[in-house]
């Protein structure tokens, strides 16, 4: 008997052993048989080498391992299963081990003594058919698997087994249908929700579903469509036809009127519509049931219920919903595909697949990306303006042409005097971002931010109405099981958390939790720790500033710290990189801590929990990411002092700006942190999951786990495939939102220092949309769909950032650019051409007045008696040497006046825009009112007809009863007459 026949008969033996083990519970023999099969398959794979399609060979499909790895990042790639390797025709070096074991697993599951159809030993050129009916269904091939629970069946404790039995019995009492799968070491419980269960909980959760077409709705929809189909819109649609969706794969849906589900109106709902209890809604209903079922008999408390508690205690390893193969492949091909970067997103299908909360994130990200296009184009034009007028800047021209101006040393002893023209190159680059268009770009950014936020509210209102979520609020949400458990463990609230009726049954209540007695201390502790970490972040930034002041680390590496390359380029770049590393480390530590702090609070609903977590995290991230930029923009070079009296920190002189200002360094720091953060996020979000999955595939492929074969899980259907994916957390979108909102802060708060920042954000976001889609479809388990009507607290955060950005821009323009000094100089000196402006900004210092004389050694500047420094101060010969002249106070007054005027003008314009652009368009508001009126009339008519039917039924019943009574009376009369006649 050759090896192939041995493998086949081992399959039969294993199936028979499984059946015997089920009767006698001899799992040891099963484990031995499973090991025998594995090693036989390994030996067979090793003997056959690359494999082929010759006669008598096991039918194994697929390609080489290298081809499999290369395909992993292709747009339409989906990880094939061992079952697909078996069913695929042709030769090639497929994964023989996985394929063989998958065949054994299927034989075990189906209880057969032979391999499934299309899998096994075939003749020359045989083609496997493969049965795909139970790929994500129950064994009957009819009921779909809506949810899956997984646990380790070989090492399950008796206590855990008892909790599972109670929990599963409660699920069945709720009406859910369960089916066990005990083929491998990880056992699965497949859950299906029948229609009656979905209907009952859809009514409890107040879920809106589409109605059948009702009289009058076509007129409303036709008028709305006519208003949109203008000549301009048709022209734009034809112009951008290349970015439209493939209507063959994503057909446009007919609009419907939505109504909260009620079993009394079941006849009114359009059960065939894709939005009627779609997959994400079904999963959310099942998850709601799972979160509220008990697993302990007797003394039942809120701490003894919910699937999350069971997973946390290790009773179940995980609970998840399943990806849909067809829908996922379609989305991978047309949406989660970098080559489709310019195409619109299929938001309706995303909503059906992931739920409204995820769909709103992708809708917001897509809208934000599109809104970046006009401001990016304007930023490029502003940058080009700097190039075009490169040679017209009087400051850089005077610096480059100057040969005699000697500048004072930038440190106390080891620094030498330096010539002003050494900063020629940096002054020219500084002009690219500090020119006449800087104020115009800042003004445009402030207006753009408000327009973007206001139009997003209008756009999202239309989406939410289309999905039937208008009117949904977090007040509809039920309390979190963790919140109820927290109340039950609190002695003072435990008595209010339950109510016992006359039968002895206890009902969980939702008592009011006083703020000062219970919520204050957890909230105060949580936010105090947040403030502590903010202080740590500020201390870290201060340490980097001290490093910049000391200039010792870079000096030991780069040599001469007197070179302008070191002062202008190297030192800021190294400081920026160190800053990025510190920011990333603090970010990782605090993000994990914030979750634990939020769990300590009394957050009643999931929305309240998410908002509390978001606020704590963002406030910290705001300080963490922006503090170094605020330092350069508002503090650096502003309080240096002068050579005779420098202001010192820990004995070090404060940093000075270049003669052209600090805006160039702000630009460099912004680019490093912004681009570096996006690169780090891309690595964390995409590369690490990809490497983890690749390592797992290679481990399985090359048998690196041969000593633990009983712990191996072979994917051969949807729930075994999805088991190996990364879990999708409830707040999984927090990281994505935070990344984009921090980016929004970069471009609104500091983009005037780098007009190309919106362009960098645009390029990043075009790829980010597709990468996030790939991650959710390929690397993560399918998340449970959640309802939402907006992006939550993130909109409020961006609104606050927009208002801060106005003050930030005003202060950067006033104190970090040359705008106000130029205006004051031109007005005071009568020099509109600014020919002597550079000399105007440089003060004179007598070298004999140094506090600490520099150690010049063999320098050529040993005999210098006068040097210049960037300040507005009197000369040494003045009666008040080194004091502030009147021109300084004029410039300061102009700067303060500019801040007030700029901020008030922008704030007024933003207020006008917010008033002029309502949150819901008048067209949509009118449509909602007309739909509500039509809906009320339709329900009234339905109730009227229903009441008439009841009355008619009662009348018919009465008439029938009267007819039956009359007939019985007639029969009685006839019978009595017959009896009388007979008697006579």
């Amino acid at each position: 008997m050759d090896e192939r026949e041995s493998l086949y008969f081992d399959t039969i033996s294993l199936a028979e052993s499984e059946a015997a083990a089920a009767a006698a519970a001899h799992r040891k023999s099963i484990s031995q048989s499973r090991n025998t099969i594995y090693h036989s398959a390994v030996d067979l794979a090793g003997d056959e080498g690359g494999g082929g399609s010759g006669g008598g060979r096991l039918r194994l499909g697929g390609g080489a391992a290298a081809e499999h790895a290369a395909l992993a990042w292709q747009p339409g790639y989906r990880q094939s299963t061992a079952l697909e390797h078996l069913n695929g025709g042709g030769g090639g070096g497929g994964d023989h081990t996985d394929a063989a074991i998958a065949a054994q697993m299927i034989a075990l599951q189906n209880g057969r003594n032979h391999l499934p159809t299309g899998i096994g030993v075939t003749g020359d050129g045989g083609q496997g058919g493969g049965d795909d009916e139970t790929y994500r269904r129950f064994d009957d091939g009819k009921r779909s698997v809506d949810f899956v629970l997984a646990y380790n069946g070989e090492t399950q404790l008796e206590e855990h087994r008892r909790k599972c039995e109670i929990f599963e019995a409660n699920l069945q009492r709720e009406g859910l249908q369960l089916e066990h799968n005990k083929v491998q070491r990880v056992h699965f419980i497949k859950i299906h929700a029948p229609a009656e269960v979905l209907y009952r909980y859809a009514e409890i959760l107040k879920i809106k579903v589409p109605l059948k077409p009702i009289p009058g709705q076509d007129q409303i929809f036709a008028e709305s469509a006519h208003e949109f189909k203008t000549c301009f819109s048709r022209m734009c649609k034809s112009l951008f036809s290349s970015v439209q969706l493939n209507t063959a794969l994503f057909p446009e849906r007919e609009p419907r009127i939505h109504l909260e589900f009620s079993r009394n109106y079941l006849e009114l709902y359009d059960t065939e519509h894709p939005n009627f209890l779609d997959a994400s809604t079904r999963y959310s209903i099942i998850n709601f049931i799972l979160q509220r079922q008990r697993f302990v008999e007797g003394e039942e408390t809120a701490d003894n219920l919910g699937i999350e508690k069971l997973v946390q205690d290790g009773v179940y390893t995980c609970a998840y919903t399943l990806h849909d193969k067809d829908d996922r492949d379609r989305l991978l091909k047309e949406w989660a595909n970098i080559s489709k970067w310019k195409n619109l997103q299929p938001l309706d299908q995303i909503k059906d697949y992931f739920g409204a909360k995820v769909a709103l994130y992708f809708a917001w990200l897509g809208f934000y990306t599109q809104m970046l296009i006009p401001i990016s184009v304007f930023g490029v034009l502003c940058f080009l303006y700097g190039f075009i007028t490169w040679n017209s800047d009087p400051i850089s021209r005077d610096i480059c042409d100057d040969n005699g101006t000697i500048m004072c040393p930038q440190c106390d002893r080891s620094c030498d005097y330096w010539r002003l023209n050494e900063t020629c190159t940096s002054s020219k680059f500084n002009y690219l971002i500090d020119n006449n268009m800087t104020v115009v770009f800042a003004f445009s950014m402030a207006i753009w931010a408000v327009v973007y936020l206001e139009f997003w509210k209008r756009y999202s209102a239309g989406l939410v109405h289309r999905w039937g979520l208008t009117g949904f609020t977090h007040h509809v949400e039920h309390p979190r099981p963790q919140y109820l458990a927290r109340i039950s463990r609190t002695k003072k609230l435990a008595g209010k958390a339950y109510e016992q009726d006359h039968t002895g049954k206890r009902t969980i209540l939702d008592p009011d939790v006083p703020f000062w007695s219970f919520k204050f201390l957890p909230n105060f502790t949580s936010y105090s720790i947040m403030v502590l970490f903010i202080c740590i972040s500020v201390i870290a930034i201060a340490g980097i500033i001290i490093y910049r002041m000391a200039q010792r680390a870079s000096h030991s590496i780069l040599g001469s710290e007197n070179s302008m390359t070191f002062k202008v380029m190297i030192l800021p770049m190294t400081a920026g990189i160190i800053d990025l590393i510190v920011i990333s480390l603090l970010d990782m530590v605090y993000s994990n801590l914030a979750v634990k702090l939020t769990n300590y609070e009394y957050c009643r609903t999931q929305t309240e929990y998410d908002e509390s977590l978001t606020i704590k995290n963002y406030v910290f991230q705001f300080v963490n990411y922006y503090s170094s930029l605020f330092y350069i923009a508002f503090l650096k070079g502003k309080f240096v002092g002068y050579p005779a009296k420098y202001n010192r920190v820990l004995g070090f002189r404060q940093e000075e700006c270049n003669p052209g200002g600090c805006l160039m360094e702000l630009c460099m720091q912004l680019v490093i942190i912004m681009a570096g953060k996006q690169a780090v996020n891309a690595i964390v979000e995409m590369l690490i999951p990809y490497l983890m999955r690749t390592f797992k595939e290679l481990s399985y492929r090359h048998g690196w786990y041969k000593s633990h074969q009983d712990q191996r899980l072979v994917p051969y259907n949807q729930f075994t495939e999805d088991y190996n994916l990364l879990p999708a957390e409830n707040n999984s979108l927090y990281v994505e939102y935070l990344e984009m909102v921090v980016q929004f802060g970069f471009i609104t708060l500091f983009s005037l220092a780098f007009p190309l920042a919106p362009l960098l954000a645009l390029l990043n976001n075009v790829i980010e949309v597709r990468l996030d889609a790939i991650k959710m479809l390929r690397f993560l388990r399918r998340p449970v769909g959640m309802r939402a009507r907006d992006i939550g607290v993130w909109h409020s955060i961006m609104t606050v950032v927009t208002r801060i950005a106005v003050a930030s821009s005003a202060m950067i323009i006033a104190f970090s650019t040359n705008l106000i000094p130029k205006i004051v100089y031109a007005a005071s000196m009568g020099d509109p051409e600014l020919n002597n402006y550079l000399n105007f900004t440089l003060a004179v210092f007598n070298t004999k007045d140094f506090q600490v004389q520099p150690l010049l050694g063999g320098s050529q500047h040993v005999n210098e008696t006068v040097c210049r420094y960037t300040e507005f101060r009197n000369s040494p010969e003045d009666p008040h040497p080194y004091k502030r002249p009147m021109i300084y106070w004029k410039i300061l007054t102009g700067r303060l006046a500019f801040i007030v005027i700029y901020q008030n003008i922008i704030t007024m314009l933003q207020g006008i825009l917010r008033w002029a652009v309502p949150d819901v368009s008048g067209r949509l508001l009118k449509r909602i009112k007309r739909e509500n009126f039509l809906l009320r009339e339709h329900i009234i008519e339905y109730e009227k007809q229903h009441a008439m039917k009841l009355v008619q039924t009662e009348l018919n019943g009465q008439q029938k009863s009267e007819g039956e009574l009359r007939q019985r009376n007639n029969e009685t009369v006839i019978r009595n007459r017959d009896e009388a006649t007979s008697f006579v």
Side-chain angles (χ1 to χ4, degrees), residues 74-100:
Q74 295 300 318
Y77 169 78
R78 186 183 62 82
Q79 180 183 356
S80 58
T81 64
L83 178 60
E84 291 169 335
H85 280 296
L86 282 169
N87 288 338
D95 190 346
H96 300 259
T97 306
D98 281 356

Short mmCIF file of all heavy atoms in Angstrom, two decimals, residues 74-100:
data_model
loop_
_atom_site.label_atom_id
_atom_site.label_comp_id
_atom_site.label_asym_id
_atom_site.label_seq_id
_atom_site.Cartn_x
_atom_site.Cartn_y
_atom_site.Cartn_z
N GLN A 74 -1.80 42.40 -3.81
CA GLN A 74 -2.53 42.75 -5.02
C GLN A 74 -3.93 43.22 -4.67
O GLN A 74 -4.50 42.79 -3.67
CB GLN A 74 -2.62 41.54 -5.98
CG GLN A 74 -1.26 41.10 -6.52
CD GLN A 74 -0.58 42.21 -7.31
OE1 GLN A 74 -1.24 42.89 -8.09
NE2 GLN A 74 0.71 42.40 -7.10
N PRO A 75 -4.51 44.10 -5.47
CA PRO A 75 -5.79 44.72 -5.10
C PRO A 75 -6.89 43.71 -4.84
O PRO A 75 -7.61 43.82 -3.87
CB PRO A 75 -6.11 45.62 -6.30
CG PRO A 75 -4.78 45.91 -6.91
CD PRO A 75 -3.95 44.69 -6.70
N GLY A 76 -7.05 42.72 -5.69
CA GLY A 76 -8.17 41.81 -5.54
C GLY A 76 -7.82 40.53 -4.83
O GLY A 76 -8.58 39.57 -4.84
N TYR A 77 -6.65 40.50 -4.18
CA TYR A 77 -6.20 39.26 -3.58
C TYR A 77 -7.01 38.94 -2.34
O TYR A 77 -7.30 39.79 -1.52
CB TYR A 77 -4.72 39.38 -3.21
CG TYR A 77 -4.21 38.24 -2.35
CD1 TYR A 77 -3.91 37.01 -2.93
CD2 TYR A 77 -4.06 38.39 -0.99
CE1 TYR A 77 -3.44 35.97 -2.15
CE2 TYR A 77 -3.59 37.36 -0.20
CZ TYR A 77 -3.28 36.15 -0.80
OH TYR A 77 -2.83 35.13 -0.03
N ARG A 78 -7.34 37.68 -2.19
CA ARG A 78 -7.96 37.18 -0.97
C ARG A 78 -7.25 35.90 -0.58
O ARG A 78 -7.01 35.03 -1.41
CB ARG A 78 -9.46 36.90 -1.16
CG ARG A 78 -10.15 36.51 0.14
CD ARG A 78 -11.62 36.18 -0.12
NE ARG A 78 -11.77 35.05 -1.01
CZ ARG A 78 -11.70 33.79 -0.62
NH1 ARG A 78 -11.46 33.49 0.65
NH2 ARG A 78 -11.86 32.80 -1.47
N GLN A 79 -6.92 35.76 0.69
CA GLN A 79 -6.17 34.60 1.13
C GLN A 79 -6.98 33.34 0.87
O GLN A 79 -8.09 33.18 1.35
CB GLN A 79 -5.87 34.72 2.63
CG GLN A 79 -5.08 33.53 3.16
CD GLN A 79 -4.87 33.66 4.65
OE1 GLN A 79 -5.26 34.66 5.23
NE2 GLN A 79 -4.26 32.66 5.27
N SER A 80 -6.42 32.45 0.09
CA SER A 80 -7.12 31.21 -0.24
C SER A 80 -7.02 30.24 0.93
O SER A 80 -6.08 30.25 1.71
CB SER A 80 -6.51 30.57 -1.50
OG SER A 80 -5.15 30.32 -1.31
N THR A 81 -8.02 29.37 1.03
CA THR A 81 -8.05 28.40 2.10
C THR A 81 -7.49 27.08 1.61
O THR A 81 -7.28 26.85 0.42
CB THR A 81 -9.49 28.19 2.57
OG1 THR A 81 -10.22 27.62 1.48
CG2 THR A 81 -10.13 29.49 2.98
N ALA A 82 -7.28 26.19 2.57
CA ALA A 82 -6.79 24.88 2.19
C ALA A 82 -7.79 24.14 1.33
O ALA A 82 -7.45 23.37 0.43
CB ALA A 82 -6.48 24.08 3.46
N LEU A 83 -9.08 24.36 1.58
CA LEU A 83 -10.12 23.74 0.76
C LEU A 83 -10.02 24.21 -0.68
O LEU A 83 -10.17 23.41 -1.61
CB LEU A 83 -11.50 24.09 1.34
CG LEU A 83 -12.71 23.57 0.58
CD1 LEU A 83 -12.68 22.06 0.52
CD2 LEU A 83 -13.99 24.06 1.22
N GLU A 84 -9.73 25.51 -0.89
CA GLU A 84 -9.59 26.00 -2.26
C GLU A 84 -8.35 25.45 -2.92
O GLU A 84 -8.31 25.23 -4.12
CB GLU A 84 -9.56 27.53 -2.25
CG GLU A 84 -10.91 28.13 -1.86
CD GLU A 84 -10.82 29.60 -1.59
OE1 GLU A 84 -9.73 30.07 -1.24
OE2 GLU A 84 -11.85 30.29 -1.73
N HIS A 85 -7.29 25.22 -2.14
CA HIS A 85 -6.11 24.58 -2.71
C HIS A 85 -6.44 23.19 -3.23
O HIS A 85 -5.93 22.75 -4.26
CB HIS A 85 -5.01 24.47 -1.64
CG HIS A 85 -4.26 25.74 -1.44
ND1 HIS A 85 -3.50 26.31 -2.41
CD2 HIS A 85 -4.16 26.55 -0.35
CE1 HIS A 85 -2.93 27.42 -1.94
NE2 HIS A 85 -3.33 27.59 -0.70
N LEU A 86 -7.31 22.50 -2.50
CA LEU A 86 -7.69 21.16 -2.93
C LEU A 86 -8.56 21.19 -4.18
O LEU A 86 -8.36 20.42 -5.12
CB LEU A 86 -8.44 20.44 -1.81
CG LEU A 86 -7.55 19.87 -0.68
CD1 LEU A 86 -8.42 19.44 0.47
CD2 LEU A 86 -6.72 18.71 -1.19
N ASN A 87 -9.52 22.09 -4.20
CA ASN A 87 -10.47 22.13 -5.30
C ASN A 87 -9.88 22.67 -6.58
O ASN A 87 -10.38 22.42 -7.66
CB ASN A 87 -11.69 22.98 -4.91
CG ASN A 87 -12.54 22.26 -3.89
OD1 ASN A 87 -12.48 21.04 -3.78
ND2 ASN A 87 -13.33 23.00 -3.13
N GLY A 88 -8.82 23.53 -6.49
CA GLY A 88 -8.23 24.13 -7.67
C GLY A 88 -7.57 23.08 -8.55
O GLY A 88 -6.95 22.12 -8.08
N GLY A 89 -7.69 23.22 -9.86
CA GLY A 89 -7.09 22.26 -10.77
C GLY A 89 -5.66 22.62 -11.08
O GLY A 89 -5.11 23.60 -10.66
N GLY A 90 -4.99 21.77 -11.88
CA GLY A 90 -3.65 22.05 -12.35
C GLY A 90 -2.61 21.68 -11.36
O GLY A 90 -2.83 21.24 -10.24
N GLY A 91 -1.35 21.81 -11.78
CA GLY A 91 -0.22 21.47 -10.94
C GLY A 91 0.22 22.60 -10.10
O GLY A 91 -0.48 23.53 -9.82
N GLY A 92 1.45 22.55 -9.67
CA GLY A 92 2.00 23.62 -8.84
C GLY A 92 2.29 23.13 -7.45
O GLY A 92 1.72 22.17 -6.96
N GLY A 93 3.16 23.79 -6.81
CA GLY A 93 3.59 23.42 -5.47
C GLY A 93 2.73 24.02 -4.42
O GLY A 93 3.14 24.88 -3.68
N GLY A 94 1.48 23.64 -4.30
CA GLY A 94 0.58 24.18 -3.29
C GLY A 94 0.94 23.69 -1.92
O GLY A 94 1.86 22.92 -1.71
N ASP A 95 0.17 24.14 -0.94
CA ASP A 95 0.40 23.74 0.44
C ASP A 95 -0.23 22.38 0.66
O ASP A 95 -1.38 22.26 1.03
CB ASP A 95 -0.19 24.80 1.39
CG ASP A 95 0.24 24.55 2.81
OD1 ASP A 95 0.75 23.45 3.08
OD2 ASP A 95 0.06 25.46 3.63
N HIS A 96 0.54 21.30 0.46
CA HIS A 96 0.00 19.95 0.55
C HIS A 96 -0.46 19.64 1.97
O HIS A 96 -1.48 18.98 2.17
CB HIS A 96 1.09 18.95 0.15
CG HIS A 96 1.59 19.15 -1.26
ND1 HIS A 96 1.18 18.38 -2.30
CD2 HIS A 96 2.44 20.06 -1.78
CE1 HIS A 96 1.79 18.76 -3.43
NE2 HIS A 96 2.55 19.80 -3.12
N THR A 97 0.27 20.13 2.94
CA THR A 97 -0.06 19.81 4.32
C THR A 97 -1.41 20.40 4.71
O THR A 97 -2.28 19.70 5.22
CB THR A 97 1.04 20.37 5.24
OG1 THR A 97 2.29 19.88 4.79
CG2 THR A 97 0.81 19.95 6.67
N ASP A 98 -1.59 21.68 4.47
CA ASP A 98 -2.86 22.32 4.79
C ASP A 98 -4.00 21.67 4.03
O ASP A 98 -5.09 21.47 4.56
CB ASP A 98 -2.80 23.80 4.44
CG ASP A 98 -2.05 24.58 5.51
OD1 ASP A 98 -1.68 23.94 6.51
OD2 ASP A 98 -1.86 25.79 5.32
N ALA A 99 -3.78 21.37 2.76
CA ALA A 99 -4.84 20.79 1.95
C ALA A 99 -5.24 19.43 2.47
O ALA A 99 -6.44 19.10 2.57
CB ALA A 99 -4.36 20.68 0.50
N ALA A 100 -4.26 18.60 2.80
CA ALA A 100 -4.59 17.27 3.28
C ALA A 100 -5.34 17.32 4.59
O ALA A 100 -6.36 16.64 4.79
CB ALA A 100 -3.30 16.44 3.43
#
